[in-house]
PDB file of all heavy atoms in Angstrom:
ATOM      1  N   ALA A 792      -3.018  -3.184   7.626  1.00 98.00           N
ATOM      2  CA  ALA A 792      -3.727  -4.445   7.402  1.00 98.00           C
ATOM      3  C   ALA A 792      -4.651  -4.347   6.196  1.00 98.00           C
ATOM      4  O   ALA A 792      -4.748  -5.293   5.394  1.00 98.00           O
ATOM      5  CB  ALA A 792      -4.512  -4.837   8.647  1.00 98.00           C
ATOM      6  N   ARG A 793      -5.333  -3.215   6.054  1.00 98.00           N
ATOM      7  CA  ARG A 793      -6.241  -3.054   4.911  1.00 98.00           C
ATOM      8  C   ARG A 793      -5.461  -2.987   3.601  1.00 98.00           C
ATOM      9  O   ARG A 793      -5.856  -3.565   2.590  1.00 98.00           O
ATOM     10  CB  ARG A 793      -7.086  -1.793   5.092  1.00 98.00           C
ATOM     11  CG  ARG A 793      -8.148  -1.582   4.010  1.00 98.00           C
ATOM     12  CD  ARG A 793      -9.211  -2.670   4.035  1.00 98.00           C
ATOM     13  NE  ARG A 793     -10.402  -2.256   3.293  1.00 98.00           N
ATOM     14  CZ  ARG A 793     -11.534  -2.940   3.250  1.00 98.00           C
ATOM     15  NH1 ARG A 793     -11.643  -4.080   3.919  1.00 98.00           N
ATOM     16  NH2 ARG A 793     -12.569  -2.494   2.563  1.00 98.00           N
ATOM     17  N   PHE A 794      -4.327  -2.272   3.619  1.00 98.00           N
ATOM     18  CA  PHE A 794      -3.494  -2.234   2.423  1.00 98.00           C
ATOM     19  C   PHE A 794      -3.016  -3.631   2.052  1.00 98.00           C
ATOM     20  O   PHE A 794      -3.044  -4.021   0.875  1.00 98.00           O
ATOM     21  CB  PHE A 794      -2.301  -1.292   2.611  1.00 98.00           C
ATOM     22  CG  PHE A 794      -2.495   0.066   1.999  1.00 98.00           C
ATOM     23  CD1 PHE A 794      -2.881   1.141   2.779  1.00 98.00           C
ATOM     24  CD2 PHE A 794      -2.296   0.271   0.641  1.00 98.00           C
ATOM     25  CE1 PHE A 794      -3.069   2.399   2.221  1.00 98.00           C
ATOM     26  CE2 PHE A 794      -2.481   1.512   0.079  1.00 98.00           C
ATOM     27  CZ  PHE A 794      -2.862   2.591   0.863  1.00 98.00           C
ATOM     28  N   LYS A 795      -2.569  -4.392   3.047  1.00 98.00           N
ATOM     29  CA  LYS A 795      -2.068  -5.741   2.754  1.00 98.00           C
ATOM     30  C   LYS A 795      -3.164  -6.615   2.172  1.00 98.00           C
ATOM     31  O   LYS A 795      -2.932  -7.369   1.210  1.00 98.00           O
ATOM     32  CB  LYS A 795      -1.490  -6.388   4.015  1.00 98.00           C
ATOM     33  CG  LYS A 795      -0.831  -7.744   3.726  1.00 98.00           C
ATOM     34  CD  LYS A 795      -0.191  -8.341   4.949  1.00 98.00           C
ATOM     35  CE  LYS A 795       0.652  -9.567   4.594  1.00 98.00           C
ATOM     36  NZ  LYS A 795      -0.059 -10.581   3.805  1.00 98.00           N
ATOM     37  N   GLU A 796      -4.354  -6.515   2.739  1.00 98.00           N
ATOM     38  CA  GLU A 796      -5.473  -7.305   2.237  1.00 98.00           C
ATOM     39  C   GLU A 796      -5.744  -6.986   0.773  1.00 98.00           C
ATOM     40  O   GLU A 796      -5.936  -7.882  -0.059  1.00 98.00           O
ATOM     41  CB  GLU A 796      -6.716  -7.030   3.099  1.00 98.00           C
ATOM     42  CG  GLU A 796      -7.919  -7.889   2.775  1.00 98.00           C
ATOM     43  CD  GLU A 796      -9.115  -7.580   3.652  1.00 98.00           C
ATOM     44  OE1 GLU A 796      -9.105  -6.538   4.344  1.00 98.00           O
ATOM     45  OE2 GLU A 796     -10.066  -8.368   3.624  1.00 98.00           O
ATOM     46  N   CYS A 797      -5.750  -5.695   0.444  1.00 98.00           N
ATOM     47  CA  CYS A 797      -6.028  -5.282  -0.935  1.00 98.00           C
ATOM     48  C   CYS A 797      -4.884  -5.663  -1.871  1.00 98.00           C
ATOM     49  O   CYS A 797      -5.113  -6.167  -2.981  1.00 98.00           O
ATOM     50  CB  CYS A 797      -6.272  -3.776  -0.993  1.00 98.00           C
ATOM     51  SG  CYS A 797      -7.819  -3.251  -0.239  1.00 98.00           S
ATOM     52  N   ILE A 798      -3.642  -5.446  -1.430  1.00 98.00           N
ATOM     53  CA  ILE A 798      -2.490  -5.755  -2.279  1.00 98.00           C
ATOM     54  C   ILE A 798      -2.422  -7.254  -2.572  1.00 98.00           C
ATOM     55  O   ILE A 798      -2.209  -7.667  -3.723  1.00 98.00           O
ATOM     56  CB  ILE A 798      -1.193  -5.249  -1.616  1.00 98.00           C
ATOM     57  CG1 ILE A 798      -1.144  -3.717  -1.687  1.00 98.00           C
ATOM     58  CG2 ILE A 798       0.037  -5.859  -2.284  1.00 98.00           C
ATOM     59  CD1 ILE A 798      -0.033  -3.096  -0.862  1.00 98.00           C
ATOM     60  N   ASP A 799      -2.611  -8.076  -1.552  1.00 98.00           N
ATOM     61  CA  ASP A 799      -2.570  -9.527  -1.759  1.00 98.00           C
ATOM     62  C   ASP A 799      -3.653  -9.966  -2.741  1.00 98.00           C
ATOM     63  O   ASP A 799      -3.407 -10.799  -3.634  1.00 98.00           O
ATOM     64  CB  ASP A 799      -2.752 -10.265  -0.433  1.00 98.00           C
ATOM     65  CG  ASP A 799      -1.536 -10.153   0.477  1.00 98.00           C
ATOM     66  OD1 ASP A 799      -0.477  -9.691   0.005  1.00 98.00           O
ATOM     67  OD2 ASP A 799      -1.664 -10.516   1.666  1.00 98.00           O
ATOM     68  N   ALA A 800      -4.855  -9.398  -2.610  1.00 98.00           N
ATOM     69  CA  ALA A 800      -5.959  -9.764  -3.497  1.00 98.00           C
ATOM     70  C   ALA A 800      -5.697  -9.282  -4.923  1.00 98.00           C
ATOM     71  O   ALA A 800      -6.019  -9.977  -5.897  1.00 98.00           O
ATOM     72  CB  ALA A 800      -7.272  -9.185  -2.968  1.00 98.00           C
ATOM     73  N   ILE A 801      -5.104  -8.096  -5.051  1.00 98.00           N
ATOM     74  CA  ILE A 801      -4.786  -7.572  -6.385  1.00 98.00           C
ATOM     75  C   ILE A 801      -3.771  -8.466  -7.083  1.00 98.00           C
ATOM     76  O   ILE A 801      -3.924  -8.809  -8.264  1.00 98.00           O
ATOM     77  CB  ILE A 801      -4.259  -6.126  -6.281  1.00 98.00           C
ATOM     78  CG1 ILE A 801      -5.408  -5.158  -5.986  1.00 98.00           C
ATOM     79  CG2 ILE A 801      -3.540  -5.715  -7.578  1.00 98.00           C
ATOM     80  CD1 ILE A 801      -4.951  -3.765  -5.619  1.00 98.00           C
ATOM     81  N   TYR A 802      -2.729  -8.886  -6.363  1.00 98.00           N
ATOM     82  CA  TYR A 802      -1.707  -9.714  -6.997  1.00 98.00           C
ATOM     83  C   TYR A 802      -2.237 -11.097  -7.386  1.00 98.00           C
ATOM     84  O   TYR A 802      -1.718 -11.723  -8.314  1.00 98.00           O
ATOM     85  CB  TYR A 802      -0.476  -9.835  -6.101  1.00 98.00           C
ATOM     86  CG  TYR A 802       0.439  -8.647  -6.146  1.00 98.00           C
ATOM     87  CD1 TYR A 802       1.024  -8.149  -4.987  1.00 98.00           C
ATOM     88  CD2 TYR A 802       0.728  -8.011  -7.354  1.00 98.00           C
ATOM     89  CE1 TYR A 802       1.880  -7.052  -5.029  1.00 98.00           C
ATOM     90  CE2 TYR A 802       1.570  -6.921  -7.411  1.00 98.00           C
ATOM     91  CZ  TYR A 802       2.143  -6.439  -6.242  1.00 98.00           C
ATOM     92  OH  TYR A 802       2.987  -5.357  -6.291  1.00 98.00           O
ATOM     93  N   GLN A 803      -3.264 -11.557  -6.694  1.00 97.00           N
ATOM     94  CA  GLN A 803      -3.903 -12.809  -7.118  1.00 97.00           C
ATOM     95  C   GLN A 803      -4.549 -12.648  -8.486  1.00 97.00           C
ATOM     96  O   GLN A 803      -4.487 -13.554  -9.327  1.00 97.00           O
ATOM     97  CB  GLN A 803      -4.960 -13.234  -6.087  1.00 97.00           C
ATOM     98  CG  GLN A 803      -4.404 -13.804  -4.807  1.00 97.00           C
ATOM     99  CD  GLN A 803      -3.726 -15.147  -5.003  1.00 97.00           C
ATOM    100  OE1 GLN A 803      -4.208 -16.012  -5.724  1.00 97.00           O
ATOM    101  NE2 GLN A 803      -2.566 -15.314  -4.365  1.00 97.00           N
ATOM    102  N   ALA A 804      -5.153 -11.494  -8.728  1.00 98.00           N
ATOM    103  CA  ALA A 804      -5.858 -11.248  -9.987  1.00 98.00           C
ATOM    104  C   ALA A 804      -4.947 -10.685 -11.071  1.00 98.00           C
ATOM    105  O   ALA A 804      -5.143 -10.967 -12.256  1.00 98.00           O
ATOM    106  CB  ALA A 804      -7.019 -10.279  -9.744  1.00 98.00           C
ATOM    107  N   CYS A 805      -3.946  -9.883 -10.664  1.00 98.00           N
ATOM    108  CA  CYS A 805      -3.077  -9.189 -11.624  1.00 98.00           C
ATOM    109  C   CYS A 805      -1.629  -9.321 -11.137  1.00 98.00           C
ATOM    110  O   CYS A 805      -1.070  -8.368 -10.566  1.00 98.00           O
ATOM    111  CB  CYS A 805      -3.461  -7.713 -11.741  1.00 98.00           C
ATOM    112  SG  CYS A 805      -5.184  -7.416 -12.183  1.00 98.00           S
ATOM    113  N   PRO A 806      -1.002 -10.478 -11.335  1.00 97.00           N
ATOM    114  CA  PRO A 806       0.288 -10.747 -10.698  1.00 97.00           C
ATOM    115  C   PRO A 806       1.448  -9.877 -11.182  1.00 97.00           C
ATOM    116  O   PRO A 806       2.462  -9.774 -10.480  1.00 97.00           O
ATOM    117  CB  PRO A 806       0.538 -12.227 -11.026  1.00 97.00           C
ATOM    118  CG  PRO A 806      -0.324 -12.525 -12.206  1.00 97.00           C
ATOM    119  CD  PRO A 806      -1.523 -11.654 -12.064  1.00 97.00           C
ATOM    120  N   ASP A 807       1.326  -9.250 -12.336  1.00 96.00           N
ATOM    121  CA  ASP A 807       2.448  -8.488 -12.886  1.00 96.00           C
ATOM    122  C   ASP A 807       2.328  -6.983 -12.679  1.00 96.00           C
ATOM    123  O   ASP A 807       3.280  -6.247 -12.948  1.00 96.00           O
ATOM    124  CB  ASP A 807       2.577  -8.764 -14.389  1.00 96.00           C
ATOM    125  CG  ASP A 807       2.914 -10.222 -14.673  1.00 96.00           C
ATOM    126  OD1 ASP A 807       3.738 -10.789 -13.936  1.00 96.00           O
ATOM    127  OD2 ASP A 807       2.334 -10.788 -15.620  1.00 96.00           O
ATOM    128  N   VAL A 808       1.183  -6.503 -12.226  1.00 98.00           N
ATOM    129  CA  VAL A 808       0.951  -5.062 -12.135  1.00 98.00           C
ATOM    130  C   VAL A 808       1.939  -4.408 -11.169  1.00 98.00           C
ATOM    131  O   VAL A 808       2.356  -4.993 -10.169  1.00 98.00           O
ATOM    132  CB  VAL A 808      -0.500  -4.761 -11.708  1.00 98.00           C
ATOM    133  CG1 VAL A 808      -0.763  -5.192 -10.266  1.00 98.00           C
ATOM    134  CG2 VAL A 808      -0.843  -3.290 -11.909  1.00 98.00           C
ATOM    135  N   ILE A 809       2.337  -3.168 -11.487  1.00 98.00           N
ATOM    136  CA  ILE A 809       3.129  -2.344 -10.572  1.00 98.00           C
ATOM    137  C   ILE A 809       2.144  -1.584  -9.691  1.00 98.00           C
ATOM    138  O   ILE A 809       1.264  -0.886 -10.198  1.00 98.00           O
ATOM    139  CB  ILE A 809       4.014  -1.351 -11.347  1.00 98.00           C
ATOM    140  CG1 ILE A 809       4.993  -2.099 -12.248  1.00 98.00           C
ATOM    141  CG2 ILE A 809       4.760  -0.433 -10.378  1.00 98.00           C
ATOM    142  CD1 ILE A 809       5.716  -1.200 -13.235  1.00 98.00           C
ATOM    143  N   LEU A 810       2.299  -1.717  -8.382  1.00 98.00           N
ATOM    144  CA  LEU A 810       1.440  -0.994  -7.445  1.00 98.00           C
ATOM    145  C   LEU A 810       2.214   0.151  -6.818  1.00 98.00           C
ATOM    146  O   LEU A 810       3.350  -0.020  -6.379  1.00 98.00           O
ATOM    147  CB  LEU A 810       0.917  -1.932  -6.351  1.00 98.00           C
ATOM    148  CG  LEU A 810      -0.071  -3.006  -6.795  1.00 98.00           C
ATOM    149  CD1 LEU A 810      -0.489  -3.868  -5.601  1.00 98.00           C
ATOM    150  CD2 LEU A 810      -1.302  -2.392  -7.448  1.00 98.00           C
ATOM    151  N   ILE A 811       1.587   1.319  -6.785  1.00 98.00           N
ATOM    152  CA  ILE A 811       2.162   2.486  -6.115  1.00 98.00           C
ATOM    153  C   ILE A 811       1.194   2.907  -5.007  1.00 98.00           C
ATOM    154  O   ILE A 811       0.265   3.681  -5.233  1.00 98.00           O
ATOM    155  CB  ILE A 811       2.394   3.655  -7.099  1.00 98.00           C
ATOM    156  CG1 ILE A 811       3.291   3.216  -8.256  1.00 98.00           C
ATOM    157  CG2 ILE A 811       3.005   4.838  -6.360  1.00 98.00           C
ATOM    158  CD1 ILE A 811       3.645   4.337  -9.225  1.00 98.00           C
ATOM    159  N   PRO A 812       1.368   2.366  -3.797  1.00 98.00           N
ATOM    160  CA  PRO A 812       0.509   2.791  -2.691  1.00 98.00           C
ATOM    161  C   PRO A 812       0.695   4.275  -2.395  1.00 98.00           C
ATOM    162  O   PRO A 812       1.804   4.815  -2.501  1.00 98.00           O
ATOM    163  CB  PRO A 812       0.981   1.930  -1.521  1.00 98.00           C
ATOM    164  CG  PRO A 812       1.688   0.772  -2.135  1.00 98.00           C
ATOM    165  CD  PRO A 812       2.296   1.302  -3.394  1.00 98.00           C
ATOM    166  N   SER A 813      -0.374   4.912  -2.002  1.00 98.00           N
ATOM    167  CA  SER A 813      -0.327   6.327  -1.635  1.00 98.00           C
ATOM    168  C   SER A 813       0.199   6.502  -0.222  1.00 98.00           C
ATOM    169  O   SER A 813      -0.201   5.774   0.690  1.00 98.00           O
ATOM    170  CB  SER A 813      -1.728   6.936  -1.715  1.00 98.00           C
ATOM    171  OG  SER A 813      -1.730   8.243  -1.187  1.00 98.00           O
ATOM    172  N   THR A 814       1.098   7.476  -0.039  1.00 98.00           N
ATOM    173  CA  THR A 814       1.411   7.937   1.308  1.00 98.00           C
ATOM    174  C   THR A 814       0.804   9.316   1.543  1.00 98.00           C
ATOM    175  O   THR A 814       1.109   9.968   2.535  1.00 98.00           O
ATOM    176  CB  THR A 814       2.929   7.989   1.576  1.00 98.00           C
ATOM    177  OG1 THR A 814       3.524   8.973   0.725  1.00 98.00           O
ATOM    178  CG2 THR A 814       3.574   6.637   1.335  1.00 98.00           C
ATOM    179  N   GLY A 815      -0.064   9.733   0.613  1.00 96.00           N
ATOM    180  CA  GLY A 815      -0.793  10.991   0.796  1.00 96.00           C
ATOM    181  C   GLY A 815      -1.998  10.805   1.691  1.00 96.00           C
ATOM    182  O   GLY A 815      -2.364  11.701   2.457  1.00 96.00           O
ATOM    183  N   GLY A 816      -2.615   9.615   1.587  1.00 93.00           N
ATOM    184  CA  GLY A 816      -3.801   9.347   2.402  1.00 93.00           C
ATOM    185  C   GLY A 816      -4.899  10.334   2.121  1.00 93.00           C
ATOM    186  O   GLY A 816      -5.198  10.654   0.973  1.00 93.00           O
ATOM    187  N   ALA A 817      -5.495  10.850   3.169  1.00 92.00           N
ATOM    188  CA  ALA A 817      -6.545  11.854   3.070  1.00 92.00           C
ATOM    189  C   ALA A 817      -6.134  13.083   3.871  1.00 92.00           C
ATOM    190  O   ALA A 817      -5.357  12.979   4.836  1.00 92.00           O
ATOM    191  CB  ALA A 817      -7.877  11.307   3.596  1.00 92.00           C
ATOM    192  N   VAL A 818      -6.640  14.237   3.478  1.00 90.00           N
ATOM    193  CA  VAL A 818      -6.322  15.490   4.170  1.00 90.00           C
ATOM    194  C   VAL A 818      -6.629  15.344   5.658  1.00 90.00           C
ATOM    195  O   VAL A 818      -7.705  14.850   6.038  1.00 90.00           O
ATOM    196  CB  VAL A 818      -7.116  16.656   3.555  1.00 90.00           C
ATOM    197  CG1 VAL A 818      -6.960  17.915   4.403  1.00 90.00           C
ATOM    198  CG2 VAL A 818      -6.642  16.920   2.131  1.00 90.00           C
ATOM    199  N   GLY A 819      -5.682  15.738   6.506  1.00 90.00           N
ATOM    200  CA  GLY A 819      -5.880  15.686   7.948  1.00 90.00           C
ATOM    201  C   GLY A 819      -5.239  14.501   8.632  1.00 90.00           C
ATOM    202  O   GLY A 819      -5.123  14.481   9.866  1.00 90.00           O
ATOM    203  N   MET A 820      -4.781  13.498   7.850  1.00 95.00           N
ATOM    204  CA  MET A 820      -4.114  12.349   8.466  1.00 95.00           C
ATOM    205  C   MET A 820      -2.715  12.740   8.923  1.00 95.00           C
ATOM    206  O   MET A 820      -2.058  13.591   8.326  1.00 95.00           O
ATOM    207  CB  MET A 820      -4.018  11.194   7.467  1.00 95.00           C
ATOM    208  CG  MET A 820      -5.318  10.498   7.174  1.00 95.00           C
ATOM    209  SD  MET A 820      -5.059   9.105   6.028  1.00 95.00           S
ATOM    210  CE  MET A 820      -6.711   8.391   6.014  1.00 95.00           C
ATOM    211  N   THR A 821      -2.234  12.082   9.979  1.00 95.00           N
ATOM    212  CA  THR A 821      -0.885  12.342  10.465  1.00 95.00           C
ATOM    213  C   THR A 821       0.143  11.672   9.558  1.00 95.00           C
ATOM    214  O   THR A 821      -0.184  10.759   8.779  1.00 95.00           O
ATOM    215  CB  THR A 821      -0.702  11.802  11.887  1.00 95.00           C
ATOM    216  OG1 THR A 821      -0.773  10.360  11.851  1.00 95.00           O
ATOM    217  CG2 THR A 821      -1.762  12.346  12.828  1.00 95.00           C
ATOM    218  N   ALA A 822       1.394  12.094   9.701  1.00 96.00           N
ATOM    219  CA  ALA A 822       2.466  11.505   8.904  1.00 96.00           C
ATOM    220  C   ALA A 822       2.592  10.011   9.185  1.00 96.00           C
ATOM    221  O   ALA A 822       2.769   9.207   8.260  1.00 96.00           O
ATOM    222  CB  ALA A 822       3.784  12.222   9.190  1.00 96.00           C
ATOM    223  N   GLU A 823       2.517   9.614  10.444  1.00 96.00           N
ATOM    224  CA  GLU A 823       2.663   8.195  10.772  1.00 96.00           C
ATOM    225  C   GLU A 823       1.514   7.371  10.203  1.00 96.00           C
ATOM    226  O   GLU A 823       1.723   6.235   9.759  1.00 96.00           O
ATOM    227  CB  GLU A 823       2.794   7.989  12.279  1.00 96.00           C
ATOM    228  CG  GLU A 823       4.199   8.239  12.799  1.00 96.00           C
ATOM    229  CD  GLU A 823       5.272   7.484  12.043  1.00 96.00           C
ATOM    230  OE1 GLU A 823       5.133   6.252  11.862  1.00 96.00           O
ATOM    231  OE2 GLU A 823       6.263   8.097  11.620  1.00 96.00           O
ATOM    232  N   GLU A 824       0.302   7.933  10.233  1.00 96.00           N
ATOM    233  CA  GLU A 824      -0.811   7.245   9.568  1.00 96.00           C
ATOM    234  C   GLU A 824      -0.499   7.026   8.099  1.00 96.00           C
ATOM    235  O   GLU A 824      -0.668   5.929   7.556  1.00 96.00           O
ATOM    236  CB  GLU A 824      -2.094   8.079   9.679  1.00 96.00           C
ATOM    237  CG  GLU A 824      -2.858   7.996  10.964  1.00 96.00           C
ATOM    238  CD  GLU A 824      -4.130   8.832  10.886  1.00 96.00           C
ATOM    239  OE1 GLU A 824      -4.072  10.065  11.053  1.00 96.00           O
ATOM    240  OE2 GLU A 824      -5.189   8.227  10.612  1.00 96.00           O
ATOM    241  N   ARG A 825      -0.064   8.070   7.461  1.00 97.00           N
ATOM    242  CA  ARG A 825       0.153   8.039   6.022  1.00 97.00           C
ATOM    243  C   ARG A 825       1.279   7.090   5.622  1.00 97.00           C
ATOM    244  O   ARG A 825       1.261   6.525   4.523  1.00 97.00           O
ATOM    245  CB  ARG A 825       0.438   9.462   5.516  1.00 97.00           C
ATOM    246  CG  ARG A 825      -0.783  10.367   5.546  1.00 97.00           C
ATOM    247  CD  ARG A 825      -0.423  11.835   5.374  1.00 97.00           C
ATOM    248  NE  ARG A 825       0.401  12.081   4.196  1.00 97.00           N
ATOM    249  CZ  ARG A 825       0.887  13.266   3.863  1.00 97.00           C
ATOM    250  NH1 ARG A 825       0.626  14.319   4.625  1.00 97.00           N
ATOM    251  NH2 ARG A 825       1.630  13.405   2.782  1.00 97.00           N
ATOM    252  N   LEU A 826       2.264   6.908   6.489  1.00 98.00           N
ATOM    253  CA  LEU A 826       3.430   6.089   6.161  1.00 98.00           C
ATOM    254  C   LEU A 826       3.185   4.585   6.316  1.00 98.00           C
ATOM    255  O   LEU A 826       4.038   3.777   5.926  1.00 98.00           O
ATOM    256  CB  LEU A 826       4.613   6.488   7.045  1.00 98.00           C
ATOM    257  CG  LEU A 826       5.426   7.697   6.581  1.00 98.00           C
ATOM    258  CD1 LEU A 826       6.376   8.143   7.678  1.00 98.00           C
ATOM    259  CD2 LEU A 826       6.193   7.379   5.303  1.00 98.00           C
ATOM    260  N   GLN A 827       2.039   4.178   6.854  1.00 98.00           N
ATOM    261  CA  GLN A 827       1.824   2.759   7.135  1.00 98.00           C
ATOM    262  C   GLN A 827       2.055   1.831   5.937  1.00 98.00           C
ATOM    263  O   GLN A 827       2.649   0.757   6.106  1.00 98.00           O
ATOM    264  CB  GLN A 827       0.415   2.540   7.701  1.00 98.00           C
ATOM    265  CG  GLN A 827       0.244   3.041   9.121  1.00 98.00           C
ATOM    266  CD  GLN A 827      -1.168   2.815   9.622  1.00 98.00           C
ATOM    267  OE1 GLN A 827      -1.507   1.735  10.100  1.00 98.00           O
ATOM    268  NE2 GLN A 827      -1.988   3.844   9.496  1.00 98.00           N
ATOM    269  N   PRO A 828       1.634   2.198   4.716  1.00 98.00           N
ATOM    270  CA  PRO A 828       1.873   1.270   3.605  1.00 98.00           C
ATOM    271  C   PRO A 828       3.346   0.991   3.331  1.00 98.00           C
ATOM    272  O   PRO A 828       3.693  -0.058   2.774  1.00 98.00           O
ATOM    273  CB  PRO A 828       1.225   1.983   2.408  1.00 98.00           C
ATOM    274  CG  PRO A 828       0.230   2.917   3.004  1.00 98.00           C
ATOM    275  CD  PRO A 828       0.808   3.346   4.313  1.00 98.00           C
ATOM    276  N   THR A 829       4.253   1.896   3.733  1.00 98.00           N
ATOM    277  CA  THR A 829       5.679   1.652   3.502  1.00 98.00           C
ATOM    278  C   THR A 829       6.200   0.494   4.344  1.00 98.00           C
ATOM    279  O   THR A 829       7.260  -0.068   4.041  1.00 98.00           O
ATOM    280  CB  THR A 829       6.514   2.914   3.790  1.00 98.00           C
ATOM    281  OG1 THR A 829       6.435   3.241   5.195  1.00 98.00           O
ATOM    282  CG2 THR A 829       6.044   4.098   2.971  1.00 98.00           C
ATOM    283  N   GLU A 830       5.455   0.130   5.391  1.00 97.00           N
ATOM    284  CA  GLU A 830       5.862  -0.993   6.230  1.00 97.00           C
ATOM    285  C   GLU A 830       5.663  -2.336   5.519  1.00 97.00           C
ATOM    286  O   GLU A 830       6.123  -3.374   5.992  1.00 97.00           O
ATOM    287  CB  GLU A 830       5.084  -0.971   7.542  1.00 97.00           C
ATOM    288  CG  GLU A 830       5.363   0.273   8.387  1.00 97.00           C
ATOM    289  CD  GLU A 830       4.417   0.395   9.569  1.00 97.00           C
ATOM    290  OE1 GLU A 830       3.718  -0.587   9.889  1.00 97.00           O
ATOM    291  OE2 GLU A 830       4.363   1.489  10.166  1.00 97.00           O
ATOM    292  N   LEU A 831       4.980  -2.305   4.366  1.00 98.00           N
ATOM    293  CA  LEU A 831       4.781  -3.512   3.561  1.00 98.00           C
ATOM    294  C   LEU A 831       5.857  -3.665   2.491  1.00 98.00           C
ATOM    295  O   LEU A 831       5.807  -4.589   1.687  1.00 98.00           O
ATOM    296  CB  LEU A 831       3.392  -3.472   2.914  1.00 98.00           C
ATOM    297  CG  LEU A 831       2.214  -3.447   3.887  1.00 98.00           C
ATOM    298  CD1 LEU A 831       0.908  -3.185   3.144  1.00 98.00           C
ATOM    299  CD2 LEU A 831       2.133  -4.757   4.667  1.00 98.00           C
ATOM    300  N   PHE A 832       6.811  -2.732   2.451  1.00 97.00           N
ATOM    301  CA  PHE A 832       7.934  -2.769   1.512  1.00 97.00           C
ATOM    302  C   PHE A 832       7.485  -2.859   0.044  1.00 97.00           C
ATOM    303  O   PHE A 832       7.937  -3.741  -0.698  1.00 97.00           O
ATOM    304  CB  PHE A 832       8.885  -3.922   1.857  1.00 97.00           C
ATOM    305  CG  PHE A 832       9.494  -3.803   3.223  1.00 97.00           C
ATOM    306  CD1 PHE A 832       8.894  -4.404   4.323  1.00 97.00           C
ATOM    307  CD2 PHE A 832      10.650  -3.061   3.421  1.00 97.00           C
ATOM    308  CE1 PHE A 832       9.441  -4.285   5.591  1.00 97.00           C
ATOM    309  CE2 PHE A 832      11.207  -2.936   4.694  1.00 97.00           C
ATOM    310  CZ  PHE A 832      10.601  -3.546   5.777  1.00 97.00           C
ATOM    311  N   PRO A 833       6.600  -1.956  -0.398  1.00 97.00           N
ATOM    312  CA  PRO A 833       6.229  -1.949  -1.809  1.00 97.00           C
ATOM    313  C   PRO A 833       7.415  -1.524  -2.674  1.00 97.00           C
ATOM    314  O   PRO A 833       8.355  -0.884  -2.186  1.00 97.00           O
ATOM    315  CB  PRO A 833       5.107  -0.903  -1.860  1.00 97.00           C
ATOM    316  CG  PRO A 833       5.450   0.040  -0.748  1.00 97.00           C
ATOM    317  CD  PRO A 833       6.011  -0.824   0.347  1.00 97.00           C
ATOM    318  N   GLU A 834       7.380  -1.878  -3.963  1.00 96.00           N
ATOM    319  CA  GLU A 834       8.488  -1.476  -4.834  1.00 96.00           C
ATOM    320  C   GLU A 834       8.482   0.027  -5.094  1.00 96.00           C
ATOM    321  O   GLU A 834       9.536   0.636  -5.303  1.00 96.00           O
ATOM    322  CB  GLU A 834       8.452  -2.250  -6.149  1.00 96.00           C
ATOM    323  CG  GLU A 834       7.162  -2.157  -6.930  1.00 96.00           C
ATOM    324  CD  GLU A 834       7.119  -3.157  -8.079  1.00 96.00           C
ATOM    325  OE1 GLU A 834       8.186  -3.434  -8.683  1.00 96.00           O
ATOM    326  OE2 GLU A 834       6.031  -3.670  -8.374  1.00 96.00           O
ATOM    327  N   MET A 835       7.306   0.646  -5.062  1.00 98.00           N
ATOM    328  CA  MET A 835       7.176   2.088  -5.219  1.00 98.00           C
ATOM    329  C   MET A 835       6.141   2.609  -4.234  1.00 98.00           C
ATOM    330  O   MET A 835       5.330   1.849  -3.702  1.00 98.00           O
ATOM    331  CB  MET A 835       6.746   2.461  -6.645  1.00 98.00           C
ATOM    332  CG  MET A 835       7.765   2.142  -7.716  1.00 98.00           C
ATOM    333  SD  MET A 835       7.269   2.780  -9.363  1.00 98.00           S
ATOM    334  CE  MET A 835       7.518   4.557  -9.125  1.00 98.00           C
ATOM    335  N   ALA A 836       6.164   3.903  -3.992  1.00 98.00           N
ATOM    336  CA  ALA A 836       5.127   4.595  -3.214  1.00 98.00           C
ATOM    337  C   ALA A 836       5.201   6.073  -3.574  1.00 98.00           C
ATOM    338  O   ALA A 836       6.223   6.556  -4.080  1.00 98.00           O
ATOM    339  CB  ALA A 836       5.334   4.407  -1.712  1.00 98.00           C
TER     340      ALA A 836
END
């Protein structure tokens, strides 16, 4: 949800930018935590 909020707001301001969401997250996060942004179907990650 937080990624979607940020991505939607970014595209309002910068509609052409390529976004590469991180699946690295922060040290100690689980794999499933880290994979959440892929559920938004970004063009890259």
Side-chain angles (χ1 to χ4, degrees):
R793 185 65 163 187
F794 261 99
K795 186 177 189 308
E796 186 180 13
C797 290
I798 288 170
D799 288 349
I801 285 169
Y802 280 139
Q803 285 292 318
C805 304
D807 296 319
V808 68
I809 299 169
L810 292 179
I811 303 184
S813 172
T814 65
V818 171
M820 288 182 174
T821 67
E823 279 309 309
E824 279 182 280
R825 289 166 53 183
L826 277 169
Q827 288 179 84
T829 65
E830 297 170 13
L831 298 171
F832 299 92
E834 56 191 326
M835 294 186 72

